[in-house]
Amino acid sequence: MKIVIAGGQNEVDFLIGSLLEKKHKLVVINQDKAYCEYLAETHQITIINGDPCKQYVLDDAGIKGSDILIALTPNDADNLAICQTAKRIYGVKKVVCTVFSPKNVEVFKKLGVNTVISASNMLACYIEQAFTAESLRKTLSIENEQVI
């Protein structure tokens, strides 16, 4: 698959490694010139230094018809704009983004973003699951692998 990663910092390096292991073709767009130079030295992929909110930058990156675009900028509104532009203008099949405000998850989904990831929502879910599992363990007595 052809995957475009727009924005981001530390998570991008890990994500690139993971996706390259699965033999995906990657294009990374990032505004930080020094980070782009680091990525270009570290990975044998296309790196575009520029603002992924700008249409001419997306043109230079050749995102038309990509399978997935992942928007990882620190600004929710930018991530939405990048995803909508990618989907509507460039025909990207699936768009994914991170959001910092959990309130934006449902709104972004309604506006056409396929997958919206909120670290706050994920953390809340994990805490709830851990609490539920612990409560269940304390409620049930288990002897010889049987619930009593």
Side-chain angles (χ1 to χ4, degrees), residues 10 27 33 43 52 60-62 70-72 87 90 98 103 119 133 140-141:
N10 298 331
V27 175
K33 186 176 181 178
H43 305 285
D60 290 347
I70 305 166
L72 301 172
K87 207 170 193 184
Y90 295 96
T98 56
K103 296 175 185 176
L140 299 174
S141 277

Side-chain angles (χ1 to χ4, degrees), residues 11-140:
E11 70 275 15
V12 173
D13 203 21
F14 173 79
L15 189 56
I16 290 170
S18 177
L19 293 171
L20 286 176
E21 281 181 12
K22 295 172 179 66
K23 309 293 186 210
H24 295 294
K25 182 179 179 192
L26 303 179
V27 175
V28 174
I29 307 167
N30 199 291
Q31 291 188 79
D32 185 330
K33 186 176 181 178
Y35 192 60
C36 286
E37 290 170 357
Y38 160 77
L39 291 174
E41 291 172 10
T42 308
H43 305 285
Q44 300 300 318
I45 59 173
T46 302
I47 308 290
I48 304 295
N49 178 222
D51 182 353
C53 291
K54 306 289 185 197
Q55 198 167 335
Y56 68 89
V57 173
L58 299 176
D59 286 338
D60 290 347
I63 74 163
K64 188 170 184 77
S66 294
D67 297 296
I68 301 172
L69 178 132
I70 305 166
L72 301 172
T73 76
N75 184 298
D76 290 0
D78 286 350
N79 286 340
L80 176 61
I82 293 165
C83 287
Q84 288 185 321
T85 301
K87 207 170 193 184
R88 293 179 181 165
I89 295 175
Y90 295 96
V92 174
K93 295 170 187 74
K94 184 172 183 172
V95 292
V96 176
C97 76
T98 56
V99 293
F100 287 89
S101 173
K103 296 175 185 176
N104 287 334
V105 172
E106 290 306 314
V107 173
F108 281 32
K109 286 180 180 179
K110 288 178 182 175
L111 293 172
V113 179
N114 300 97
T115 304
V116 183
I117 301 164
S118 164
S120 298
N121 275 354
M122 291 173 65
L123 181 59
C125 286
Y126 287 131
I127 290 169
E128 185 178 326
Q129 287 174 357
F131 178 74
T132 302
E134 182 63 19
S135 293
L136 186 60
R137 188 187 66 75
K138 286 180 179 178
T139 302
L140 299 174

